């Protein structure tokens, strides 16, 4: 694309953002008058404009002769062509918009978004187990609980902070995943579903009844995350300085949610990227092959034990991280958050989104959570509506909202 | 090379069973480097079981299996595949939801990690499959489950060849194919052998198999009943009677 065309393109996106954000955040009701505040929409539009330009410049840079040469260094007749679902600059736009949401969303909707992103993370994790490896896990909530309680208990007994809890709980949950994986190595389908269902319930009951350690039904507090050693709460609870004291600004109760949202968004983006890579790596292909035909896999030299366990462990680790975010966002954990219904909901996210499709899972997580909030007034019928939506979806798009795309190889033209 | 060194695959007194039911009784046979050897036998004779036993599923209950002089009787299945033996299993067993080339790429799993990551090697291997099966390559982006039976068989063979095996095992590749396709398939097998891959071919289609093979074995109820040069077996009265429809 020429520079003029790029500018036009970026301007179009910026204009669109302005158009969209003006009614959402630019007009304010002041008494009986509507006042127009331009600065927020303008900032947003400017951000999108610059972001688009940068993303396109980056894409162009990769096409430049030296880098291009590097990309085509392996001159062979057959080349790997990767066609991402969206081009790079569209990703830039999406991420920029997502990152600016806290500027104009209310606290309430910001918390809804946090929950939606947590579900997206959980969906991506479960997608590895169910969508890729084809192991129907109905107890995925167990790993979510392990992560959440790992953080709450860790901070209470070991003085664990949010940032150390992330890898710690991922490892802890992965260990649980492996422990579950061993006995079910020879199981598939219905039998596997029943055992994992039981496993999920066992974890929840342990948490509920281990009153001395876990606080039982009363639950446990979970501290807010810290940012570079600064605390986001009104008074310091973890031995640091509160953020507003350090910078000498007024206390903003929203800050906790904003920080969690941003970290979560960054993690989701990273996870999305990593899962995409994993799918193209030998281990990802082995997961899928295992789903398709275990005997053929073994005759191809795939060690089904390690492949299965790695799918369980990887899925569990991601679930554990989702749990840490959940605990940090809620500030509190108790067993009622980890019932079978949660497992079913996460599975619904995966199936609705499209088994194996990361993009679909993220979209489904957003749709389900936002729908859930919009239907709050009909809360008695929510599950009913939800079930009907599911049935309609399965008739209309049996492969999910965005069905999985497959990479392919093409015979190179220019070589 | 003496006889010992020429042996690529050796089975000595191999027995195998499913639970308490014995299927193979003292099977002794060998495949030399560069040969095409065929094993023919009626339905239920134990041909598939023999190929599966090579991969340890079920495991031999007695006897020894040697590959290139190395004992592999007790190796885990996935390690056997890495010795340089590739299997085209009965019924093809391709991965239906994955594309043709994803199926092919999965075939490189037995190679070392370094070889697997070498894009030049990968391209060369794909190119090889393309040259053997141009019709298959035309469908390389298609889901494998949507291929015709013949194409699926080509895919299964291509997938096995992706690991550059020294020994290729095939279990009834002609099953369910039209006569014209069968002839083409056997021509390709000949070509693969000419390129230096040793072939051990299990077939019910004894006529065609014996025509491309150097030597043959006849399996009856889990026992080797006859063995010899393929042309001799083809001319043998008993074999004609039992497996070639008497003409
Ligand atoms: N998985 C199995 N479990 C039990 N018995 C089996 C199994 N597979 C094959 N058999 C039995 O082993 C015998 C040999 O079968 P097979 O090796 O498939 O014969 P072929 O391939 O020569 O037709 C048959 O009697 C068959 O019923
Ligand atoms: Mg058979």
């Amino acid at each position: 694309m020429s520079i003029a065309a790029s500018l036009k393109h970026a301007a179009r996106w910026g204009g669109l953002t302005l158009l969209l954000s003006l009614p959402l955040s630019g007009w304010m009701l002041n008494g009986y008058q509507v006042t127009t505040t331009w600065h927020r929409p303008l900032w947003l539009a400017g951000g999108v404009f610059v972001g688009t330009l940068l993303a396109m410049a980056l894409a162009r840079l990769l096409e430049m002769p030296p880098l291009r040469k590097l990309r085509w260094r392996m001159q062979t007749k057959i080349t790997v062509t990767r066609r991402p679902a969206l081009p790079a600059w569209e990703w830039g736009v999406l991420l920029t918009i997502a990152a600016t949401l806290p500027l104009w969303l209310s606290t309430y909707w910001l918390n809804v978004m946090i929950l939606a992103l947590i579900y997206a993370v959980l969906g991506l994790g479960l997608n590895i187990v169910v969508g890729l490896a084809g192991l129907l896990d109905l107890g995925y909530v167990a790993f979510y609980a392990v992560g959440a309680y790992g953080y709450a208990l860790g901070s209470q007994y070991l003085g664990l902070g949010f940032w150390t809890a992330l890898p710690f709980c991922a490892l802890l949950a992965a260990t649980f995943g492996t422990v579950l994986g061993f006995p079910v190595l020879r199981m598939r389908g219905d039998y596997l579903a029943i055992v994992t269902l039981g496993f999920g319930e066992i974890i929840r009951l342990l948490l509920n009844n281990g009153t001395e350690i876990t606080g039982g039904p009363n639950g446990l507090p979970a501290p807010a995350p810290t940012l570079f050693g600064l605390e986001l709460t009104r008074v310091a609870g973890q031995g640091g300085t509160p953020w507003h004291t350090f910078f000498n600004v007024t206390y903003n109760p929203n800050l906790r949610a904003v920080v969690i949202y941003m970290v979560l968004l960054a993690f989701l983006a990273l996870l999305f990227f990593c899962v995409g890579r994993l799918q193209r790596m030998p281990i990802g292909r082995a997961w899928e092959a295992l789903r398709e035909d275990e005997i053929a896999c073994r005759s191809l030299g795939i060690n089904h034990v390690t492949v299965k366990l790695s799918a369980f462990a990887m899925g569990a680790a991601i679930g554990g991280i989702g749990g840490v975010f959940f605990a940090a966002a809620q500030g509190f954990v108790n067993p009622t958050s980890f019932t079978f219904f949660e497992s079913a909901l996460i599975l619904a996210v995966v199936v609705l989104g499209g088994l194996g499709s990361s993009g679909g899972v993220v979209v489904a997580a957003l749709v389900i959570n936002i729908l859930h909030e919009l239907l709050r007034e009909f809360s008695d019928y929510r599950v009913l509506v939800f079930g009907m939506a599911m049935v309609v979806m399965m008739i209309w798009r049996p492969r999910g909202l965005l069905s999985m795309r497959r990479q392919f190889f093409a015979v190179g033209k220019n070589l | 090379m003496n006889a010992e060194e020429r042996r690529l695959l050796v089975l000595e007194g191999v027995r195998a069973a499913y639970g308490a039911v014995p299927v193979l009784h003292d099977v002794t046979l060998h495949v030399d480097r560069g040969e095409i050897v065929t094993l023919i036998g009626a339905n239920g004779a134990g041909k598939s079981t023999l190929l599966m036993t090579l991969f340890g599923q079920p495991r031999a209950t007695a006897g020894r299996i040697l590959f290139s002089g190395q004992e592999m009787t007790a190796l885990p299945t996935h390690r056997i595949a890495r010795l340089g033996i590739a299997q085209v299993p009965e019924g093809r067993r391709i991965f239906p939801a994955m594309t043709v080339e994803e199926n092919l790429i999965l075939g490189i799993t037995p190679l070392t990690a370094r070889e697997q990551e070498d894009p030049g090697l990968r391209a060369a291997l794909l190119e090889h499959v393309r040259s053997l099966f141009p019709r298959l390559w035309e469908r390389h982006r298609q889901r494998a489950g949507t291929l015709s039976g013949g194409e699926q068989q080509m895919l299964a063979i291509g997938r096995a060849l992706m690991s550059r095996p020294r020994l290729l095992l095939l279990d009834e590749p002609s099953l369910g194919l039209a006569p014209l396709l069968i002839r083409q398939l056997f021509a390709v097998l000949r070509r693969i052998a000419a390129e230096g891959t040793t072939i051990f071919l299990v077939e019910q289609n004894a006529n065609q198999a014996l025509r491309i093979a150097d030597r043959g074995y006849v399996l009856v109820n889990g026992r080797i009943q006859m063995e010899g040069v393929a042309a001799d077996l083809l001319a043998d009265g008993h074999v004609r009677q039992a497996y070639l429809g008497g003409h």
Side-chain angles (χ1 to χ4, degrees), chain A residues 19-60:
Chain A
L19 219 66
L20 273 175
S21 56
L22 195 64
L24 283 169
S25 66
W27 289 330
M28 271 200 282
L29 206 58
N30 203 348
Y32 290 106
Q33 276 190 316
V34 178
T35 51
T36 313
T37 50
W38 282 98
H39 66 275
R40 256 192 272 173
L42 278 177
W43 268 112
L44 272 173
V48 170
F49 178 74
V50 173
T52 312
L53 271 185
L54 282 180
M56 281 195 302
L58 193 71
R60 241 183 112 78

Side-chain angles (χ1 to χ4, degrees), chain A residues 133-305:
Chain A
L135 305 163
L136 182 53
D137 184 350
L138 290 184
Y140 190 65
V141 76
F143 308 121
Y144 184 37
V146 166
Y149 268 90
Y151 178 40
L153 289 169
S155 79
Q156 182 145 333
Y157 293 105
L158 309 170
L160 225 58
F162 175 74
W163 298 98
T164 30
L166 284 178
F168 173 77
C169 290
L171 270 180
L172 189 68
T175 313
F176 272 80
T178 319
V179 167
L180 170 66
F182 261 112
V184 301
L185 270 175
R186 309 178 62 129
M187 293 180 190
R188 308 211 102 210
D190 318 357
Y191 303 100
L192 179 65
I194 290 168
V195 175
T196 51
L197 180 72
F199 181 75
E201 284 299 285
I202 289 171
I203 296 284
R204 187 179 63 82
L205 290 172
L206 278 179
L207 294 174
N208 206 22
N209 296 321
T211 321
E212 288 94 74
I213 304 168
T214 65
N218 294 331
L220 278 175
T226 57
L227 203 60
F228 306 112
L230 299 176
E231 298 199 14
L232 306 174
T233 39
R234 186 186 292 275
V235 285
Q238 300 173 65
T241 322
W243 169 278
H244 55 284
T245 322
F246 188 82
F247 285 104
N248 207 7
V249 288
T250 52
Y251 172 66
N252 177 1
N254 238 346
L255 201 58
R256 171 181 177 144
V258 173
V259 168
I260 290 177
Y261 175 82
M262 295 304 270
V263 177
L264 188 53
L265 183 66
F267 175 73
L268 181 63
L270 182 74
L271 184 64
F272 194 90
F273 176 76
C274 291
V275 171
R277 295 314 289 244
L278 271 174
Q279 268 174 285
R280 290 193 217 105
M281 280 164 59
I283 182 72
R285 282 196 302 265
W287 286 335
E288 285 199 66
L290 200 68
R291 175 192 68 201
E292 300 284 294
D293 193 325
E294 188 170 322
I295 292 187
C297 269
R298 297 175 68 179
S299 82
L300 287 175
I302 292 170
N303 183 351
H304 71 299
V305 174

Side-chain angles (χ1 to χ4, degrees), chain A residues 285 292-293 298 301 406 409, chain B residues 57 82 93 96-97 102 140:
Chain A
R285 282 196 302 265
E292 300 284 294
D293 193 325
R298 297 175 68 179
R406 311 211 69 96
F409 292 77
Chain B
Q57 296 277 327
R82 293 178 200 168
R93 288 191 176 270
E102 279 173 313
H140 65 291

Side-chain angles (χ1 to χ4, degrees), chain A residues 58-70:
Chain A
L58 193 71
R60 241 183 112 78
L61 202 67
L62 287 176
E63 288 298 322
M64 298 279 243
L67 281 171
R68 197 190 157 101
K69 211 177 242 156
L70 204 72

